[in-house]
Amino acid sequence: MPANTMKAIRLHEFGGPEVLRYDEVPIPEPKPGEVLIRVHAVGVNPPDWYRREGMPNVPPEVRPPLSLPAIPGTDVSGVVEAIAADVAGFSVGDEVFGLLRFPGLEGNAYAEYVAAPASDLARKPARLDHVHAAGVPMAGLTAWQFLIELGHEHPSPFQAARHRPMALGAETTVLINGAAGGVGHFAVQLAKWKRARVIAVASGTHESFLRELGADRFIDYTKSRPEEAAHDVDLVLDTVGGRDSSRLLRTLKRGGALYPVFFGDYDPEETAKLGVTISGTQVRSNGPQLAALGRLLDAGTLRVAIDSTFPLADARGAHERAARGHLQGKIVLTGA
């Protein structure tokens, strides 16, 4: 077993990237149902900076409790170091990856070691190194749960109805807004796996990347408006969301659907008049679904794009890169 302390990034206050501190803390002990992972790489995701900021955009009455100090992060790839007595299916030395405890905010992944629920983990695809594997869990599971299979019965905080992914096939046209980012680049590949026709929307610098992933058509949003350039679409997956998302409703045919990853503002009268549906969900940790993604990654059906890597000690640099936007794939912390 390792010594009893480790390095970790912690928040002692809320704020910008400068509040991320590189501390020495005790190594956690795995509780029942958990394994201890020696972390090799950590994926960086939007909830990491929402947590860092104290979630100021979430109304106080629905904001989860945010205790300090806290170790942010949810996406890990690493090696099993120890196992609780009640855990079956994993052994010391196994290479694993996972989205930890999400949608809770206690993943504690920005660290050299993390205690992780075994149910949140899957074996790391042999084809991937730890850096690429750490880029998969949240983004890959978000694309999977929106497009392929929800995989749980938990109600969404964003809508009353249960999200039911549209069946995709050769007759389906899917427009993906923000296609070059973490969720977007997985969504392009999963839609193509289901034989759908894919229209990718991103800035022009990402065109060749997205065509390599299988996009049938590319729209450079800096040169043309997707709502004017695309029509008769069956499904829009909007990974950008926000105030401008409703403009994409105009690309849909009657009976079509828009799935916003980040909910925006939509007029119920407009959606009723257009005959379209808006549906979303909140990604949740899911070891079996991650294993399904792992099989596709091992087969070469899916690939992971890495935008940039930073050492764990420079989590601030990773968050500053995220704030500049226009990512191509995922940001990953290494050397943990």
Side-chain angles (χ1 to χ4, degrees), residues 156-191:
S156 168
F158 306 115
Q159 66 186 39
R162 187 174 183 267
H163 177 68
R164 297 185 184 278
M166 178 184 293
L168 303 180
E171 305 303 312
T172 318
T173 297
V174 180
L175 183 147
I176 298 168
N177 189 36
V183 175
H185 90 290
F186 284 118
V188 168
Q189 296 174 83
L190 287 173

Side-chain angles (χ1 to χ4, degrees), residues 175 199-203 211 217-222 224-226 229-230:
L175 183 147
I199 303 171
V201 179
S203 65
R211 290 197 181 276
R217 184 180 168 200
F218 178 81
I219 298 174
D220 180 351
Y221 72 83
T222 68
S224 57
R225 294 177 175 273

Side-chain angles (χ1 to χ4, degrees), residues 9-311:
I9 295 292
R10 289 204 298 178
L11 303 167
H12 295 264
E13 60 186 313
F14 300 122
E18 71 282 353
V19 304
L20 296 166
R21 283 190 12 197
Y22 193 49
D23 289 346
E24 189 155 322
V25 299
I27 291 175
E29 298 249 350
K31 296 182 176 129
E34 294 183 344
V35 305
L36 180 69
I37 298 171
R38 170 71 169 98
V39 178
H40 284 252
V42 182
V44 175
N45 295 290
D48 302 356
W49 51 90
Y50 304 155
R51 176 78 169 88
R52 188 201 74 220
E53 294 165 349
M55 305 186 80
N57 296 328
V58 177
E61 63 273 14
V62 297
R63 189 181 301 154
L66 301 173
S67 57
L68 292 172
I71 300 172
T74 58
D75 278 11
V76 297
S77 183
V79 177
V80 175
E81 184 88 27
I83 300 174
D86 63 335
V87 170
F90 292 108
S91 302
V92 171
D94 284 348
E95 294 187 319
V96 294
F97 70 143
L99 167 63
L100 307 186
R101 299 188 175 88
F102 202 79
L105 295 172
E106 307 303 322
N108 302 326
Y110 285 22
E112 292 180 318
Y113 293 87
V114 65
S119 59
D120 293 352
L121 302 173
R123 294 183 188 280
K124 179 184 74 66
R127 189 181 183 118
L128 300 187
D129 60 22
H130 287 292
V131 168
H132 286 79
V136 175
M138 180 173 285
L141 285 172
T142 299
W144 186 272
Q145 290 175 14
F146 269 81
L147 293 180
I148 308 299
E149 176 202 23
L150 183 60
H152 63 79
E153 297 292 335
H154 297 279
S156 168
F158 306 115
Q159 66 186 39
R162 187 174 183 267
H163 177 68
R164 297 185 184 278
M166 178 184 293
L168 303 180
E171 305 303 312
T172 318
T173 297
V174 180
L175 183 147
I176 298 168
N177 189 36
V183 175
H185 90 290
F186 284 118
V188 168
Q189 296 174 83
L190 287 173
K192 290 308 299 178
W193 173 55
K194 290 294 186 179
R195 298 179 297 114
R197 178 173 179 265
V198 173
I199 303 171
V201 179
S203 65
T205 56
H206 301 304
E207 180 172 6
S208 61
F209 165 66
L210 289 164
R211 290 197 181 276
E212 282 173 25
L213 295 184
D216 299 284
R217 184 180 168 200
F218 178 81
I219 298 174
D220 180 351
Y221 72 83
T222 68
K223 295 182 177 173
S224 57
R225 294 177 175 273
E227 68 271 23
E228 294 171 0
H231 303 284
D232 294 320
V233 170
D234 296 286
L235 175 63
V236 170
L237 181 74
D238 184 8
T239 75
V240 180
R243 193 172 298 169
D244 294 333
S245 186
S246 61
R247 69 198 170 105
L248 296 171
L249 293 171
R250 286 175 257 166
T251 67
L252 292 168
K253 62 172 67 167
R254 291 193 74 80
L258 185 150
Y259 297 168
V261 175
F262 301 100
F263 251 72
D265 298 317
Y266 309 98
D267 180 354
E269 288 186 14
E270 181 186 18
T271 55
K273 189 169 78 174
L274 292 170
V276 299
T277 304
I278 295 169
S279 181
T281 186
Q282 183 177 45
V283 66
R284 301 188 77 93
S285 301
N286 190 309
Q289 288 182 333
L290 201 54
L293 282 165
R295 288 188 287 273
L296 293 175
L297 289 156
D298 259 337
T301 305
L302 297 184
R303 56 175 272 213
V304 189
I306 301 300
D307 176 90
S308 48
T309 61
F310 294 80

